[in-house]
Amino acid sequence: MPAACESVLEDIEDIVSAEDVKPHDRQFVRRNVFPKVRKRNSQKNVQADDEPPSDSIIPGVQKIWIRTWGCSHNNSDGEYMAGQLAAYGYKITDNSAEADLWLLNSCTVKNPAEDHFRNSIKKAQEGKKKVVLAGCVPQAQPRQEYLKGLSIIGVQQIDRVVEVVEETIKGHSVRLLGQKKDNGKRLGGARLDLPKIRKNPLIEIISINTGCLNACTYCKTKHARGDLASYPIEELVDRAKQSFQEGVCEIWLTSEDTGAYGRDIGTDLPTLLWKLVEVIPEGAMLRLGMTNPPYILEHLEEMAKILNHPRVYAFLHIPVQSASDSVLMDMKREYCVADFKQVVDFLKEKVPGITIATDIICGFPGETDEDFQETMKLVEVYRFPSLFINQFYPRPGTPAAKMPQVPAAVKKQRTKDLSQLFHSYNPYDHKVGERQRVLVTEESFDSNYYVAHNPFYEQVLVPKDPLLMGKMLEVNIYEAGKHFMKGEPVSDARVHTASISRPLAKGEVSGLTEEFRRSPQNGTNWKAQPSAEIPVKTRLSSWMALQLPWQQEGGGLKILSVSLALLAVLVMFYYGGMKTEL
């Protein structure tokens, strides 16, 4: 067989021929190579220099602006987030321009609320602000285009807001959207004893449950808050006690449906209310939040007794939404108009003077002129003193958004017609000349009066005297408007002070337990409850690090014990060595 090549390759180095570049020449050539300098984008350079490395950022010293839209439940969440951030060292500011980070707490009930939320995100980005998003909008639809790349904290994860803010300030994007669970059972949400900053130091908002049992075809909130999950009675009572100890004189109970409270944990709303009434001090009041007709029907007798209690406002918010059974069926409201009337008629009879507030949606898909006229008749008959009128907005992802829509002009006209009917009567004219007991808790929007409420939670404006704030007193009603009355304090009447202690100053953090006070930098070292969450590729923030022994309870004793043990070991080794030498 002929050879494949004429010469035999004896060694691998023989591959290099005489004509190839030698190592010495190759090194010489390198010395004559000059690197080409690439021009950098000076604008990008400036921006990069403005942003310090994430490792050099000290968390807990920045200013944070918080904006909340929506219901009292959302406002309570905002207060809890503000409290935790302030307890850690962040400064909560009312000036959005000076803030380093914007925390935007959203509402998904109607399109305009989400539009405001979206516009605020855009404004924050234009102002080079860090942004953290919270509330029902990102919880329900976290993959929306305008939310991409932004940090999100879910409605049940508000106890971890410090983590999310800290990582966002460092330039990371964090998303915590999981549910709080205990042994597989969904919980009501974050702990109730977390620090908070009350918007009004005299009013405590307590969420008694989250989610609901309904599946209304127009509701987007269900996508965010989920099914019913109630807090245990003892936790709610403890929270109320703590609030009164911090100078609160009015408690609001809130949720997506207070009437459904307890059905998931084997109790009910009247049982909770009777327990709460036991701890309300003289001069303080309790206000019950919204309840849907189906769940209050079962407890009418007990609810009437509770609403007659002198420390409970004779007030109930019961949304009817429409007076047409066919529309209610399309809404999947699970009651008929007769059910609503039964609740209202019974309470009006058993609780004289009770205030019934309600909601109505104008222009729901399929609503005819006849359907709308039924709603108008209902308002004419009951003349609700508090009526929330909403033009229907189709929310993305809801069944109602896919239904044939009522023309926009028709919806607008129906909303206008109902508003005109509502403003055609004055519900308080007959109360001029009455002597009423009121609790003063707020300042009016025009800052000219203090705002008080009588036993029926009707608004009464009183003189702006600082001595009246937080007090229960008697007034003579001398004027009435559409939404308010005006009262003059009775000079010889007794004034009640509900506060067990001095109310907290505006902006002061409540709920700072010993657990928080002993933590580094007033930080928080509590363990978050177990939750299922979207994996986050980010290192844990410093405040979640393990405590050193001297930061834990009994730390001094532990150190002493360890030191003595080490000393004993050293002594044993020392004397053992001496015996060996001898």
Side-chain angles (χ1 to χ4, degrees):
M1 183 176 179
C5 56
E6 294 182 359
S7 60
V8 178
L9 184 65
E10 299 289 350
D11 192 277
I12 189 69
E13 292 182 0
D14 291 341
I15 294 177
V16 181
S17 67
E19 291 80 16
D20 289 332
V21 180
K22 300 298 185 294
H24 175 77
D25 298 329
R26 191 179 292 115
Q27 185 65 27
F28 178 77
V29 171
R30 279 203 191 111
R31 291 197 190 106
N32 293 279
V33 174
F34 297 96
K36 182 178 180 182
V37 179
R38 183 177 296 173
K39 289 185 178 180
R40 296 180 180 180
N41 187 320
S42 59
Q43 185 63 30
K44 288 183 179 178
N45 242 3
V46 171
Q47 291 178 356
D49 291 341
D50 289 343
E51 292 288 337
S54 62
D55 290 342
S56 69
I57 296 176
I58 302 174
V61 298
Q62 290 77 14
K63 294 180 180 178
I64 298 177
W65 180 66
I66 301 176
R67 174 70 192 277
T68 295
W69 292 266
C71 64
S72 54
H73 192 167
N74 233 30
N75 277 277
S76 177
D77 288 351
E79 291 180 351
Y80 273 122
M81 289 190 283
Q84 292 170 83
L85 291 166
Y88 188 68
Y90 291 104
K91 181 182 178 183
I92 308 302
T93 178
D94 292 328
N95 187 344
S96 61
E98 72 173 14
D100 302 293
L101 180 142
W102 288 13
L103 175 54
L104 304 176
N105 189 18
S106 61
C107 172
T108 191
V109 172
K110 294 187 288 188
N111 290 0
E114 184 171 350
D115 290 342
H116 288 304
F117 175 61
R118 185 189 296 108
N119 292 337
S120 294
I121 294 173
K122 184 178 179 182
K123 187 176 180 181
Q125 292 171 328
E126 290 172 349
K128 307 297 182 186
K129 306 291 185 183
K130 302 288 187 182
V131 185
V132 171
L133 309 179
C136 292
V137 172
Q139 178 73 53
Q141 288 185 297
R143 293 181 178 84
Q144 290 190 84
E145 186 66 30
Y146 72 93
L147 304 181
K148 283 186 177 180
L150 298 176
S151 290
I152 295 175
I153 183 161
V155 295
Q156 284 212 322
Q157 298 291 331
I158 60 171
D159 56 342
R160 302 183 67 181
V161 66
V162 174
E163 287 178 83
V164 177
V165 165
E166 181 178 323
E167 295 301 331
T168 302
I169 285 174
K170 292 177 180 177
H172 304 146
S173 177
V174 183
R175 294 192 169 199
L176 299 178
L177 294 164
Q179 303 291 330
K180 288 273 187 278
K181 293 183 180 180
D182 183 18
N183 294 325
K185 182 177 177 60
R186 185 167 177 264
L187 300 176
R191 285 167 38 180
L192 293 173
D193 61 349
L194 295 172
K196 71 166 12 183
I197 295 179
R198 298 184 183 95
K199 186 177 180 182
N200 184 335
L202 297 175
I203 298 176
E204 166 70 3
I205 306 172
I206 303 178
S207 171
I208 62 174
N209 57 264
T210 190
C212 68
L213 294 172
N214 295 341
C216 300
T217 56
Y218 57 82
C219 183
K220 189 73 175 176
T221 306
K222 176 78 172 187
H223 297 189
R225 299 283 182 178
D227 293 326
L228 179 69
S230 305
Y231 285 98
I233 288 178
E234 55 272 18
E235 291 184 19
L236 295 166
V237 172
D238 287 345
R239 182 63 193 178
K241 288 179 180 178
Q242 178 189 333
S243 301
F244 291 129
Q245 289 168 358
E246 293 175 339
V248 164
C249 62
E250 187 170 287
I251 285 183
W252 297 357
L253 300 185
T254 184
S255 77
E256 283 64 55
D257 187 352
T258 58
Y261 171 80
R263 285 173 170 251
D264 57 319
I265 58 173
T267 186
D268 54 41
L269 181 62
T271 303
L272 168 65
L273 294 176
W274 284 124
K275 291 291 185 182
L276 286 171
V277 162
E278 293 175 4
V279 302
I280 301 175
E282 184 179 8
M285 295 294 289
L286 173 71
R287 191 195 81 174
L288 188 58
M290 185 273 289
T291 177
N292 283 311
Y295 307 114
I296 204 70
L297 269 169
E298 301 176 18
H299 309 297
L300 281 179
E301 289 283 354
E302 283 299 300
M303 289 303 300
K305 293 176 185 177
I306 292 165
L307 291 169
N308 273 311
H309 194 282
R311 295 175 193 172
V312 178
Y313 285 116
F315 167 88
L316 205 56
H317 180 191
I318 314 171
V320 65
Q321 305 301 7
S322 173
S324 165
D325 284 342
S326 63
V327 173
L328 291 175
M329 187 176 296
D330 289 340
M331 290 179 173
K332 288 193 175 179
R333 290 290 290 167
E334 299 185 7
Y335 61 86
C336 59
V337 180
D339 294 332
F340 174 80
K341 291 179 178 179
Q342 180 185 347
V343 171
V344 175
D345 292 342
F346 181 89
L347 292 177
K348 279 182 169 290
E349 178 186 351
K350 300 294 183 179
V351 189
I354 187 173
T355 296
I356 299 293
T358 195
D359 301 356
I360 289 175
I361 296 175
C362 296
F364 185 82
E367 182 186 64
T368 64
D369 288 336
E370 292 75 17
D371 294 329
F372 179 67
Q373 288 306 313
E374 289 297 318
T375 301
M376 293 282 282
K377 289 177 185 176
L378 183 77
V379 175
E380 286 177 357
V381 171
Y382 286 94
R383 300 171 78 86
F384 303 103
S386 183
L387 178 62
F388 302 96
I389 302 169
N390 302 290
Q391 180 178 317
F392 175 75
Y393 290 97
R395 299 297 290 132
T398 61
K402 301 174 183 177
M403 298 177 181
Q405 302 294 307
V406 172
V410 175
K411 289 192 291 186
K412 188 174 181 180
Q413 185 60 48
R414 289 177 184 172
T415 304
K416 182 179 179 181
D417 291 345
L418 186 56
S419 297
Q420 287 178 341
L421 172 60
F422 173 61
H423 286 93
S424 68
Y425 59 86
N426 293 318
Y428 306 131
D429 284 352
H430 66 286
K431 297 198 173 189
V432 173
E434 289 185 359
R435 183 165 171 164
Q436 297 183 354
R437 175 174 55 87
V438 299
L439 177 61
V440 185
T441 56
E442 302 174 77
E443 185 178 73
S444 63
F445 287 116
D446 61 9
S447 299
N448 293 328
Y449 298 91
Y450 279 161
V451 178
H453 292 91
N454 64 17
F456 312 106
Y457 203 69
E458 296 165 335
Q459 185 171 272
V460 180
L461 303 181
V462 298
K464 194 175 177 181
D465 180 356
L467 296 176
L468 300 180
M469 185 58 74
K471 305 293 193 300
M472 183 174 283
L473 62 147
E474 290 188 340
V475 298
N476 289 320
I477 303 300
Y478 65 89
E479 184 180 334
K482 174 64 181 174
H483 302 286
F484 65 89
M485 291 170 275
K486 290 183 179 179
E488 185 66 32
V490 177
S491 58
D492 59 345
R494 181 185 172 191
V495 176
H496 295 278
T497 301
S499 303
I500 296 174
S501 60
R502 177 189 63 83
L504 300 179
K506 190 173 180 63
E508 188 175 349
V509 181
S510 82
L512 279 179
T513 61
E514 193 61 32
E515 180 181 8
F516 288 95
R517 297 184 195 281
R518 70 168 181 267
S519 58
Q521 301 176 7
N522 285 333
T524 45
N525 288 304
W526 71 89
K527 293 181 180 178
Q529 296 192 30
S531 61
E533 61 193 42
I534 295 176
V536 180
K537 291 185 178 179
T538 180
R539 66 180 182 85
L540 286 175
S541 55
S542 58
W543 70 284
M544 290 295 287
L546 291 174
Q547 286 180 298
L548 294 171
W550 53 83
Q551 293 172 321
Q552 300 174 352
E553 285 189 31
L557 289 174
K558 290 179 182 178
I559 292 174
L560 182 59
S561 300
V562 172
S563 301
L564 290 173
L566 288 173
L567 182 60
V569 171
L570 289 172
V571 169
M572 288 173 64
F573 272 108
Y574 176 74
Y575 283 105
M578 288 181 66
K579 288 180 181 179
T580 303
E581 291 175 5
L582 291 173

